[in-house]
């Protein structure tokens, strides 16, 4: 799918140059020269990125940026402005912009920055599939958990439960929270299903425990916890 970019710039020459350049790079380009038009275009066309001038005839690019972010706009926003004071850059970034490029600019640099921010946004939107806690690694794609040279295959629900515990290392998670996140959408089940699957998971990880791996502990009154205390870990 072609990436859509919205250019908000009241200077016709700059707007045209940017549009032609980005279209030549394969982007689907929309343009606007006023605050009202920019907000309308962002709402209707849902661009993945907005290249935004600050000085507009009916207001400020700051107003556009603020409105977009307050409305939950998830795409990249790059300010493109002749204002080069540090306070101008700081204000733009504080409003939620990803970058601030000062005019005059080199198109290739703007293109490179735009591509970087698009990539970062897309990576941030991609669900995690690999989780690590100390020497324990879980790959959700193949539902395999490894500790050193040892490994075990998990069922889909066992893998989801372990991923949840690995994201909250050394912090107990209540039965209710686990149930709500993994089983609430399935009718006819009780909280006991959490205990059953914790038991399954403990059995699958038993060889790892004998090798010094993490333990799923029961914390009285608080729930279950993947215990890596005293070990180096990251998650």
């Amino acid at each position: 799918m072609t990436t859509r970019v919205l250019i908000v710039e009241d200077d016709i020459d700059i707007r045209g140059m940017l549009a032609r350049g980005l279209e030549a790079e394969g982007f689907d380009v929309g343009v606007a020269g006023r605050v009202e038009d920019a907000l309308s275009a962002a709402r209707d066309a849902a661009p993945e990125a907005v290249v935004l001038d600050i000085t507009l005839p009916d207001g400020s690019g700051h107003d556009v940026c603020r409105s977009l972010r307050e409305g939950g706009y998830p795409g990249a926003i790059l300010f493109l402005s002749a204002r080069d004071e540090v306070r101008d850059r700081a204000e733009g970034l504080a409003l939620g912009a990803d970058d601030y490029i000062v005019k005059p600019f080199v198109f290739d640099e703007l293109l490179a920055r735009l591509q970087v921010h698009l990539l970062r946004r897309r990576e941030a939107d991609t669900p995690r599939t690999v989780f690590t806690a100390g020497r324990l690694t879980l790959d959700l794609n193949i539902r395999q958990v490894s500790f050193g040279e040892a490994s075990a295959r998990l069922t889909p629900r066992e893998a989801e439960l372990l991923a949840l515990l690995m994201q909250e290392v050394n912090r107990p998670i209540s039965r209710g929270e686990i149930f709500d996140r993994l089983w609430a959408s399935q009718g006819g089940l009780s909280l006991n299903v959490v205990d059953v699957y914790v038991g399954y998971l403990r059995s699958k990880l038993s060889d790892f425990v004998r090798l010094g791996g993490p333990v799923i502990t029961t914390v009285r009154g608080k729930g279950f916890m993947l215990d890596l205390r005293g070990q180096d870990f990251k998650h």
Side-chain angles (χ1 to χ4, degrees):
M1 184 179 294
T2 304
T3 300
R4 185 164 182 79
V5 177
L6 174 63
I7 300 170
V8 185
E9 168 65 64
D10 67 328
D11 186 304
I12 296 176
D13 292 334
I14 295 177
R15 188 169 68 215
M17 181 271 291
L18 285 172
R20 290 189 298 272
L22 291 176
E23 286 171 349
E25 295 294 331
F27 290 92
D28 179 10
V29 179
V31 297
R34 301 170 61 86
V35 170
E36 182 178 356
D37 295 336
L39 293 175
S40 177
R43 180 181 62 252
D44 296 340
E48 288 190 52
V50 178
V51 178
L52 178 60
D53 190 13
I54 291 180
T55 304
L56 298 171
D58 59 336
S60 168
H62 289 156
D63 299 327
V64 176
C65 183
R66 183 184 295 106
S67 295
L68 290 176
R69 290 305 189 213
E70 289 179 351
Y73 174 68
I77 298 177
L78 288 74
F79 273 117
L80 181 62
S81 175
R83 300 184 186 180
D84 59 357
E85 296 292 334
V86 172
R87 64 175 178 271
D88 295 318
R89 302 187 191 200
E91 182 177 2
L93 296 174
L95 288 170
D98 295 272
D99 209 338
Y100 192 107
I101 301 170
V102 177
K103 299 175 182 177
F105 63 95
V106 177
F107 176 78
D108 287 346
E109 180 185 359
L110 182 145
L111 175 63
R113 291 197 192 184
L114 174 62
Q115 290 171 329
V116 165
H117 291 299
L118 285 169
L119 179 60
R120 287 176 178 171
R121 292 275 174 177
R122 288 166 182 163
E123 289 177 343
D125 290 339
T126 302
R128 288 179 62 187
T129 58
V130 177
F131 297 83
T132 304
R135 294 168 58 201
L136 189 72
T137 301
L138 169 66
D139 187 332
L140 282 180
N141 286 328
I142 58 175
R143 301 194 306 277
Q144 179 170 295
V145 58
S146 304
F147 183 80
E149 298 299 320
S151 64
R153 294 297 295 272
L154 305 177
T155 66
R157 193 61 78 193
E158 289 168 352
E160 291 172 358
L161 174 57
L162 182 57
L164 179 58
L165 293 170
M166 291 177 73
Q167 291 177 81
E168 303 292 345
V169 168
N170 293 340
R171 184 185 79 82
I173 307 176
S174 71
R175 285 176 174 82
E177 181 179 349
I178 294 173
F179 182 85
D180 287 344
R181 294 178 66 172
L182 299 183
W183 283 281
S185 62
Q186 301 179 21
L189 297 176
S190 69
L191 283 177
N192 290 338
V193 71
V194 176
D195 298 82
V196 170
Y197 272 85
V198 167
Y200 292 158
L201 196 51
R202 281 173 169 159
S203 179
K204 293 284 183 72
L205 300 181
S206 59
D207 288 340
F208 300 169
V209 174
R210 285 192 287 272
L211 295 172
V215 179
I216 299 176
T217 60
T218 302
V219 182
R220 186 177 298 274
K222 294 185 177 181
F224 300 103
M225 176 178 76
L226 187 66
D227 191 350
L228 271 75
R229 288 174 297 185
Q231 303 180 41
D232 294 329
F233 72 91
K234 60 181 178 179
H235 63 90

